[in-house]
Amino acid sequence: MTKSVLISGASIAGLTMAYWMRQYGYKVTVIEIGPAPRMGGSPIDVRGDSLDTARRMGVLDAIKAAKLQTKGLEFMNADGEVEGMMRVEEIGAIRPGDDTEIRRDDLVNILYGNAKDGISYRFNNRIIALTQSEDQVSVTLSDGSINLYDFVIGADGIHSGVRKLVFGPEEQFSHFLNFYFSVFPVDVRLGKKNYGQMYTTPTNLVMVYLYNEDCADGFLAFRVNEKINYNRNDIEAQKRIVIEAFKDIGWKVPQLIDELKNADAFYFDQGCQIKMPTWTNGRVALIGDAGYAPAFPTGMGSTLAIQGATVLADAMAEVADYKVAFQKYNETFRPTVDALQATVYDGLSFLLPETQEAINIRNKGSR
């Protein structure tokens, strides 16, 4: 009989997994809490081994065609003067010249277009209950339906519902990195085309990135000593947190705060990593941010999502016994995850130096 798999999350990890499971002969269903594949977010990088995977999937040419023409990152002072600049090839490159920065929406659309045929998508839906037996998983969805699957894959992000149902509360696995960040669209006149412009204090990071004629993002991050309590569903309260954190910061912050206040698309979250002793439990497995979010300062979230899904799918195709396949996934992909997660502190030191002296050294040493 054809085996069935339910994938929770229609984003980068989930869409990659859906493609491979269909290729390997599974009956694939993807559920997504939103009305369409998960869009939004700043441009992302496709790097290293994920480029080889994209070639295997037949989407590398499409990814390369959508590559952004980013030239570099400019370090600004409070008076709007450029103190230093780094070319894009100098910023965390794994394969200089091959690493590809792309709009997140473009990558999601490419992966979705590649994983449409023969796959059932159920949008505006989520898992609300899950029960495992030796031979199958019974899943109850928010639309009231109950279905049986051979496997369930959680690809539902850093605040994964599948992880909570099967592995336990998020607090067990979330490692706070003592900063918060927000991303929102801004007026293109605040940016410089094909550049990110960054202003930093020892506690705050401000960046405007204009990556084509009509798309610019504002990015605000700030360090804290302890977690802030807030309602994840109250966007206005989250905006107030950011406004308070940036009330005395210069450069273009007043204009960015005005943009933030009126932004319909606004994302706010803590900087954290997800670390788990195992990414599998019975017939359920986690991929991408649900299992091993590396945090944005690594620049490797998308790469880990693509590669993790591929490693798991390949293992399930190569080994008949799913328990052996899951063990292989846990063991073979662990060194990659650990190594990339460990780079987060270098990334934080670069983006948010903790002293003015360190900021000056970074800015003026990058000319």
Side-chain angles (χ1 to χ4, degrees), residues 45 47 158 174-179 181 219 267 269-275 288-304 337 340-345 347-348 351:
D45 296 315
R47 296 174 163 181
I158 199 166
S174 177
H175 292 253
F176 184 47
L177 296 170
N178 293 98
F179 74 93
F181 68 99
F219 184 91
Y267 181 81
D269 211 339
Q270 63 176 334
C272 73
Q273 292 186 326
I274 299 297
K275 296 185 177 183
D289 282 355
Y292 31 81
F296 79 83
T298 67
M300 296 300 294
S302 299
T303 293
L304 279 181
V337 169
L340 292 180
Q341 285 191 332
T343 66
V344 71
Y345 298 104
L348 270 175
L351 293 170

Side-chain angles (χ1 to χ4, degrees), residues 9-322:
S11 188
I12 294 168
L15 294 171
T16 302
M17 191 73 185
Y19 169 83
W20 287 121
M21 289 287 90
R22 183 197 64 191
Q23 292 294 110
Y24 290 141
Y26 283 73
K27 180 181 179 181
V28 183
T29 301
V30 179
I31 61 167
E32 166 58 46
I33 194 170
R38 186 63 59 89
M39 298 294 178
S42 295
I44 53 180
D45 296 315
V46 182
R47 296 174 163 181
D49 291 344
S50 63
L51 293 166
D52 298 329
T53 298
R55 183 178 291 107
R56 281 180 59 193
M57 296 172 69
V59 296
L60 182 60
D61 288 345
I63 290 173
K64 291 288 189 182
K67 182 176 182 177
L68 295 173
Q69 301 304 308
T70 305
K71 295 180 180 179
L73 177 63
E74 292 184 336
F75 301 107
M76 316 299 293
N77 63 25
D79 296 321
E81 301 166 333
V82 178
E83 292 192 333
M85 193 272 282
M86 292 185 70
R87 298 192 309 275
V88 67
E89 295 83 3
E90 300 175 291
I91 305 172
I94 294 177
R95 297 185 186 178
D98 288 334
D99 291 355
T100 301
E101 185 184 38
I102 182 173
R103 291 182 64 192
R104 189 182 177 283
D105 286 3
D106 288 341
L107 179 57
V108 169
N109 280 326
I110 289 168
L111 295 175
Y112 182 47
N114 203 46
K116 266 189 175 180
D117 296 340
I119 295 173
S120 174
Y121 285 87
R122 301 178 67 176
F123 296 109
N124 296 308
N125 227 326
R126 63 185 178 88
I127 298 173
I128 60 172
L130 186 154
T131 304
Q132 298 195 66
S133 69
E134 180 64 26
D135 300 319
Q136 58 194 7
V137 186
S138 175
V139 178
T140 304
L141 299 181
S142 57
D143 65 6
S145 63
I146 301 175
N147 297 279
L148 298 176
Y149 300 92
D150 290 292
F151 303 102
V152 172
I153 308 298
D156 47 347
I158 199 166
H159 302 296
S160 170
V162 173
R163 188 183 63 229
K164 182 177 180 181
L165 287 170
V166 178
F167 296 83
E170 182 176 310
E171 292 73 23
Q172 296 182 56
F173 312 113
S174 177
H175 292 253
F176 184 47
L177 296 170
N178 293 98
F179 74 93
Y180 287 86
F181 68 99
S182 64
V183 185
F184 48 94
V186 300
D187 190 319
V188 295
R189 290 173 294 183
L190 291 173
K192 180 178 178 179
K193 187 179 177 182
N194 295 331
Y195 282 89
Q197 291 188 314
M198 179 190 295
Y199 171 63
T200 316
T201 75
T203 55
N204 295 65
L205 164 65
V206 185
M207 187 164 75
V208 180
Y209 180 25
L210 174 56
Y211 44 89
N212 61 31
E213 294 287 354
D214 57 359
C215 293
D217 286 334
F219 184 91
L220 302 176
F222 59 99
R223 290 185 181 272
V224 294
N225 293 322
E226 55 188 34
K227 286 187 177 181
I228 300 171
N229 291 321
Y230 66 94
N231 183 345
R232 286 185 54 225
N233 297 315
D234 189 339
I235 299 300
E236 292 305 314
Q238 294 169 34
K239 288 184 177 182
R240 289 194 294 270
I241 291 171
V242 179
I243 292 169
E244 177 65 21
F246 282 82
K247 64 181 180 181
D248 297 320
I249 306 300
W251 192 47
K252 296 179 179 180
V253 169
Q255 299 99 307
L256 293 173
I257 293 300
D258 287 339
E259 296 286 308
L260 178 153
K261 289 177 179 177
N262 298 312
D264 292 327
F266 172 84
Y267 181 81
F268 175 77
D269 211 339
Q270 63 176 334
C272 73
Q273 292 186 326
I274 299 297
K275 296 185 177 183
M276 304 182 68
T278 179
W279 304 312
T280 59
N281 183 331
R283 290 177 168 268
V284 178
L286 302 176
I287 56 175
D289 282 355
Y292 31 81
F296 79 83
T298 67
M300 296 300 294
S302 299
T303 293
L304 279 181
I306 292 169
Q307 284 308 102
T310 303
V311 170
L312 175 58
D314 286 349
M316 294 175 71
E318 292 166 4
V319 183
D321 185 341
Y322 82 89

